[in-house]
Amino acid sequence: MSAYILRRILSTVPVVLFVMIFVFSLLYLAPGDPAAILAGDQATQEDIENIRSQLGLDRSFPVRFVEWAGGIFQGDFGTSIFTREPVTKMILHRVEPTVSLMVVTLTMALIIAIPMGVLAAWKRGSLLDRAIMLFAVLGFSVPVFVVGYVLAWVLALQLGWLPVQGYTPIAEGLWPWLRGLILPAATLSGVYVALIARITRATMLEILQQDYIRTARAKGAAGHTVLFIHALRNALVPIVTVVGLGIALMISGAVVIETVFALPGLGRLTVDSILRRDYPVIQAIILIFSFVYVIINLLIDLSYTLIDPRIRY
Amino acid sequence: MITRRTLLGAAAASPLLSLPSLAQNKTKVLRYVPSSNLTVLDPIFTPAAVSITHGYCVFDTLYGMDANLQPVPQMAAGHTVSDDGLTWEITLRDGLMFHDGEPVRAQDCAASLDRWSKRDGFGQALGAATESFSAKDDKTIVIKLTRPFGRLLHAIGKPHSSPAMIMPERLAKTDISEQVTEMVGSGPFRFVADEYVSGDRMVYEKFEGYVPRDEAAAWTSGGKIVNFDRLIWQVIPDPATSAAAIQAGEVDWVAGVLPDLAPIMEAHPDVDLFRQDPFGLVSVMRFNHLQAPFDNVEVRRAVMKAIDQTPYMQAVTAAEANRSECLASFPCGLPGVNELGEGLINSLDLEGAKEALKAAGYNGERVVILNPTDIASIHPHGLITADILKKIGMNVDLQDTDWGTVVQRRVSKEPVDNGGWSIAHTNWPAISIDNPATNATTRGLGEKGWWGWFQDDEMEQTVADWLSAGSDEEAQQLFDKAHARALDQVPTVPLGQTFQDGAVRTNLKGLLQASVSLFWNVDRA
């Protein structure tokens, strides 16, 4: 097992290296010039050239890449072209809101979706099953920003229960932190509730037909015991896979949510940096996301062994 | 031994359960939502409005603009000019101090003016006529000129893009191609660097060491009296969310409200609309003068003949109160600007334009229009221009892209077949193009000037004459001469003036009009 984990971790090195080269090349070739954006509307060609030279943007591709990659291996992601702050500092400022949003969203989604999926499978073909599946379809179909605006209008503007926007760090109190995240997390969780509920239902339907479930029922096991102890554990492998992939997909969903609810997270930083061509920031974020994605995949694979003892690496 | 009292004390001290302290509640806070994120802190390095807004919090200027847009002393006590008009001495008023506790000296001001004169358009014009910026003593700045420069106070007192803000000498020595990131000024607010998170929030605190002038505040002049302990800028990228936030009372002031949302703001009992800048924005169509077909003045005149400003303005703002036709190459409503474009601008003469185009020898050359899809106030302009040019028989290639790409491509002087361009649009704050020297859209500096590279020696001579004009009458004549030349040579086509309102909570009073948001004089009723 430990050999497998080591092998998997080592296999991330070429992946991350490839991402580094690919992202750097892509940004190098992409149109747009941060020096021109920085200089503003009144700048002359000479102003732009001077700024480009000052920022080192006039140097060749290999020189810039080697310098950047060298910095990465020393734990230095460089400096933002625009704010002149260390990229590491900028990213650290933005990690907490994004991670908080993901944690609360996933928690909400799991708490709601798994019982929904199990119930739908248990009451297959009933009105309840149809209602749950209709909710799942809506969760997939309605764009998150529409859900966001509607929820904000009702819960924040009309009822005044929740703030419209902004993020309160967890250090300032658990309730203020959570209160600010309920709206964005509820908005973002719709898609995941739908996804996880459908997968749970489909998997549970298959498992509920298995012989060992029939045996458990024949032995007189209670309904909830059959459902949650015998069936659900064996249904967890596909659910965990979907949750894991969902975390990766959530990064793109977070961009919209962070914009709508003014959360200062990594998603917004990514978009802002792309629009203004802040190369060091874009490169660092993509690199971090790639690494996180690889690690999540590894954790999903490892979790299978805990869920299903028959799986061995 | 752990007692009940110890446990209660620990719980009270825990950040997870703590409540805001009473001391915090006593702090008077103004919450503001800027129009865009503040990424560049140096207001000399960039002309971005948000950086200038920030600049006016942190820095001060030697001269400010009064309500009539005339320069009046701000950090200065006054000035003297030698008989030959070549030596200006500006005396600093008493009590000026930087946020680091150091007194403001003439050396700081001279270094700041020197740096500013290397970047700003008006500053460069002054710089070109200046032998040196120096300090006679700690209180006296000396500007030695090589030729008379009658508009010197207008230059160093200009309110926008970019004002001549004063920094400590050690910061002002920074190369103009590099940003100043340490925010030490002598303005009414102190920038709280520890709380700055670009893209999220900027925090300022009242600078207790600031000594306001005695005069009433107006535009960027007079007594800058701060009535709040803290000023917090909250970046809210989504306009609908910022509108909701002010309705919910989470913020006090939103710099820019989308025209679509303005009626909702107006209808809300606790929110008022506020027109920050009475002169608004001027939209312009800019030609590339280096490449065919717009290297031909007759073609440019033909295009101007076909233009109607109304659809351009309507595409940006539906409300009639938020737009104004302006038959001039300079922003209407500003001192010295006469509407000289009657019959030339806004004639919507498509047939006349077709004939003029034929007469000009237009031969079907491709017209590449760079069009940013991510800037709502510019994107429609490209679409409208493409439609008009097609109607008059031009070979149009509308290239939709993002703003970052437009900004990069519009500095290309190559032919259109090699990545070049023919037309691009932009908006200018009216106040920043208010005279022949500052109006980059009409200057004839050629390849040393604004993108589009309009070269016109006659225009430049007129600008130089205007700068050194001895009297207001002579200056006005020269202003009109420059204006007439711009209308004749068509370096750009003016597309009208639009105005954007901000939103404020009804309990705020004392807001000042200016080209950017100013936070002194404001108080809560």
Side-chain angles (χ1 to χ4, degrees):
Chain A
M1 180 67 140
S2 54
Y4 170 78
I5 293 171
L6 189 66
R7 217 169 40 244
R8 282 292 301 267
I9 288 171
L10 287 175
S11 73
T12 65
V13 175
V15 173
V16 171
L17 268 176
F18 170 77
V19 168
M20 273 171 76
I21 296 165
F22 180 73
V23 168
F24 197 92
S25 311
L26 205 64
L27 290 173
Y28 187 83
L29 297 169
D33 179 2
I37 296 169
L38 251 179
D41 222 11
Q42 298 174 51
T44 63
Q45 184 94 37
E46 193 186 352
D47 293 335
I48 295 166
E49 293 299 340
N50 289 339
I51 292 169
R52 198 177 284 137
S53 165
Q54 189 74 45
L55 295 169
L57 296 169
D58 54 350
R59 288 173 301 167
S60 66
F61 174 85
V63 170
R64 280 168 60 188
F65 179 75
V66 168
E67 194 178 81
W68 175 69
I72 297 292
F73 289 119
Q74 291 168 49
D76 177 14
F77 285 109
T79 305
S80 160
I81 288 172
F82 284 76
T83 65
R84 308 309 294 149
E85 292 177 289
V87 172
T88 310
K89 181 189 161 195
M90 286 176 82
I91 288 173
L92 286 175
H93 267 305
R94 305 301 196 99
V95 166
E96 191 192 313
T98 300
V99 171
S100 300
L101 175 66
M102 286 178 162
V103 167
V104 177
T105 301
L106 262 182
T107 308
M108 263 190 196
L110 292 173
I111 288 170
I112 297 165
I114 291 177
M116 267 173 71
V118 171
L119 269 176
W122 185 248
K123 301 285 181 185
R124 184 184 182 177
S126 69
L127 195 63
L128 180 68
D129 178 26
R130 289 203 184 98
I132 288 170
M133 285 307 100
L134 176 69
F135 178 82
V137 168
L138 283 174
F140 273 127
S141 317
V142 183
V144 284
F145 66 88
V146 173
V147 176
Y149 287 141
V150 171
L151 287 179
W153 188 75
V154 175
L155 298 175
L157 275 179
Q158 297 305 308
L159 300 171
W161 292 348
L162 299 165
V164 170
Q165 52 79 42
Y167 175 76
T168 307
I170 196 164
E172 289 181 29
L174 188 60
W175 173 238
W177 169 80
L178 191 59
R179 190 169 171 260
L181 283 168
I182 292 170
L183 262 183
T187 305
L188 185 57
S189 65
V191 175
Y192 299 97
V193 168
L195 184 68
I196 297 164
R198 285 183 73 96
I199 291 288
T200 307
R201 179 183 180 273
T203 316
M204 288 291 287
L205 281 175
E206 195 182 319
I207 284 169
L208 289 171
Q209 308 303 317
Q210 303 286 322
D211 289 346
Y212 73 90
I213 297 291
R214 199 174 302 117
T215 306
R217 280 180 178 155
K219 281 182 169 181
H224 65 269
T225 308
V226 171
L227 269 183
F228 292 101
I229 305 297
H230 295 283
L232 185 59
R233 186 175 171 180
N234 288 302
L236 279 179
V237 169
I239 293 169
V240 165
T241 307
V242 166
V243 168
L245 292 172
I247 293 171
L249 290 172
M250 216 177 270
I251 291 166
S252 56
V255 171
V256 178
I257 294 300
E258 286 174 6
T259 301
V260 169
F261 292 102
L263 302 178
L266 279 174
R268 242 175 71 194
L269 181 63
T270 309
V271 173
D272 290 348
S273 303
I274 288 169
L275 287 175
R276 63 179 183 238
R277 310 296 195 274
D278 201 343
Y279 299 141
V281 181
I282 304 167
Q283 284 154 193
I285 291 172
I286 292 176
L287 205 60
I288 289 164
F289 281 165
S290 309
F291 188 72
V292 166
Y293 192 74
V294 169
I295 295 298
I296 285 170
N297 273 316
L298 174 62
L299 292 175
I300 291 168
D301 288 350
L302 293 177
S303 71
Y304 294 159
T305 61
L306 300 174
I307 296 164
D308 189 344
R310 291 169 301 177
I311 298 172
R312 288 267 181 272
Y313 294 119
Chain B
M1 189 178 95
I2 297 173
T3 63
R4 186 169 145 271
R5 188 177 294 274
T6 314
L7 279 172
L8 287 172
S14 161
L16 299 184
L17 298 171
S18 64
L19 292 166
S21 69
L22 289 174
Q24 267 182 316
N25 292 342
K26 282 182 186 167
T27 306
K28 208 170 162 187
V29 180
L30 178 65
R31 293 182 181 275
Y32 170 77
V33 180
S35 295
S36 59
N37 180 27
L38 176 69
T39 51
V40 178
L41 299 176
D42 181 349
I44 307 300
F45 182 85
T46 178
V50 70
S51 298
I52 294 166
T53 311
H54 152 85
Y56 271 115
C57 294
V58 178
F59 304 100
D60 210 346
T61 53
L62 290 169
Y63 280 74
M65 283 288 167
D66 67 9
N68 302 314
L69 298 182
Q70 295 306 310
V72 291
Q74 184 56 32
M75 292 169 78
H79 68 274
T80 59
V81 190
S82 63
D83 291 343
D84 60 4
L86 296 180
T87 305
W88 291 64
E89 290 193 0
I90 298 168
T91 312
L92 291 173
R93 65 185 172 97
D94 294 329
L96 299 175
M97 192 197 291
F98 285 118
H99 301 156
D100 60 2
E102 292 294 318
V104 178
R105 302 162 311 135
Q107 292 84 340
D108 302 305
C109 302
S112 298
L113 290 176
D114 187 45
R115 184 170 186 262
W116 164 80
S117 73
K118 291 185 172 82
R119 169 53 60 90
D120 177 69
F122 211 168
Q124 286 173 354
L126 174 60
T130 300
E131 186 185 302
S132 65
F133 297 101
S134 61
K136 187 170 152 185
D137 51 50
D138 283 356
K139 282 279 195 179
T140 316
I141 304 133
V142 181
I143 303 173
K144 279 196 181 302
L145 302 173
T146 54
R147 59 178 184 270
F149 198 94
R151 304 285 123 185
L152 188 141
L153 297 183
H154 288 81
I156 65 174
K158 67 181 295 210
H160 204 95
S161 334
S162 292
M165 291 169 172
I166 303 302
M167 303 176 174
E169 186 180 19
R170 64 189 171 83
L171 299 179
K173 291 280 187 199
T174 308
D175 188 280
I176 194 58
S177 304
E178 209 179 317
Q179 292 178 52
V180 170
T181 53
E182 187 188 345
M183 289 294 105
V184 177
S186 63
F189 289 93
R190 197 175 58 80
F191 182 67
V192 185
D194 294 347
E195 295 191 54
Y196 168 55
V197 180
S198 177
D200 180 25
R201 60 192 245 145
M202 299 86 213
V203 179
Y204 305 83
E205 282 172 356
K206 179 180 179 174
F207 177 45
E208 298 295 349
Y210 185 79
V211 180
R213 294 187 73 88
D214 295 331
E215 302 93 333
W219 273 71
T220 57
S221 68
K224 298 180 177 179
I225 295 166
V226 174
N227 298 306
F228 288 88
D229 303 306
R230 276 165 70 88
L231 164 66
I232 298 176
W233 289 20
Q234 176 77 45
V235 178
I236 303 181
D238 185 63
T241 306
S242 59
I246 196 166
Q247 288 178 85
E250 291 173 23
V251 296
D252 300 303
W253 184 351
V254 175
V257 173
L258 270 189
D260 305 1
L261 297 167
I264 298 168
M265 299 289 95
E266 215 164 1
H268 197 281
D270 300 323
V271 179
D272 282 335
L273 289 178
F274 170 63
R275 181 153 301 175
Q276 178 73 63
D277 183 354
F279 303 109
L281 294 169
V282 175
S283 300
V284 295
M285 178 198 301
R286 180 65 164 179
F287 299 113
N288 182 346
H289 293 256
L290 297 182
Q291 305 294 342
F294 297 116
D295 55 351
N296 180 349
V297 66
E298 296 296 342
V299 174
R300 300 198 298 267
R301 286 174 187 153
V303 169
M304 188 155 80
K305 207 183 274 279
I307 296 301
D308 175 14
Q309 292 182 346
T310 308
Y312 286 96
M313 294 187 292
Q314 280 176 329
V316 175
T317 178
E320 273 188 56
N322 289 351
R323 58 180 196 255
S324 170
E325 181 188 79
C326 177
L327 306 182
S329 290
F330 288 82
C332 293
L334 283 157
V337 178
N338 297 313
E339 286 197 73
L340 305 178
E342 190 81 52
L344 294 169
I345 297 174
N346 225 14
S347 47
L348 189 60
D349 179 6
L350 291 176
E351 288 309 312
K354 271 185 200 171
E355 284 168 28
L357 206 55
K358 249 184 237 165
Y362 173 68
N363 205 19
E365 293 93 343
R366 191 154 61 102
V367 173
V368 171
I369 301 172
L370 297 180
N371 201 34
T373 54
D374 53 343
I375 306 285
S377 59
I378 300 177
H379 177 232
H381 295 168
L383 303 175
I384 296 165
T385 297
D387 181 57
I388 290 169
L389 297 193
K390 281 177 190 167
K391 281 178 179 162
I392 64 171
M394 293 192 105
N395 172 17
V396 178
D397 178 3
L398 178 69
Q399 298 191 1
D400 282 337
T401 176
D402 73 321
W403 180 246
T405 305
V406 169
V407 168
Q408 181 202 24
R409 285 192 55 196
R410 72 185 183 190
V411 296
S412 166
K413 294 170 182 170
E414 297 292 319
V416 293
D417 293 330
N418 203 19
W421 58 280
S422 316
I423 287 177
H425 302 82
T426 193
N427 298 317
W428 279 85
I431 199 76
S432 60
I433 53 168
D434 64 338
N435 66 52
T438 56
N439 193 342
T441 75
T442 60
R443 291 290 298 266
L445 291 163
E447 299 208 24
K448 287 183 180 172
W450 193 45
W451 48 270
W453 311 287
F454 170 58
Q455 171 115 28
D456 188 41
D457 295 342
E458 190 180 321
M459 174 66 84
E460 284 310 291
Q461 186 53 57
T462 310
V463 171
D465 294 344
W466 177 81
L467 285 169
S468 55
S471 69
D472 287 347
E473 292 76 17
E474 187 192 357
Q476 185 59 58
Q477 281 175 1
L478 290 161
F479 196 136
D480 287 341
K481 187 182 173 187
H483 193 168
R485 182 69 184 168
L487 290 166
D488 178 64
Q489 291 298 302
V490 199
T492 55
V493 179
L495 304 173
Q497 262 167 278
T498 52
F499 309 91
Q500 190 182 30
D501 290 327
V504 292
R505 296 286 293 181
T506 49
N507 62 0
L508 282 192
K509 61 181 175 64
L511 285 91
L512 297 167
Q513 282 200 314
S515 59
V516 295
S517 303
L518 303 173
F519 304 100
W520 51 86
N521 211 55
V522 185
D523 206 351
R524 217 184 291 284

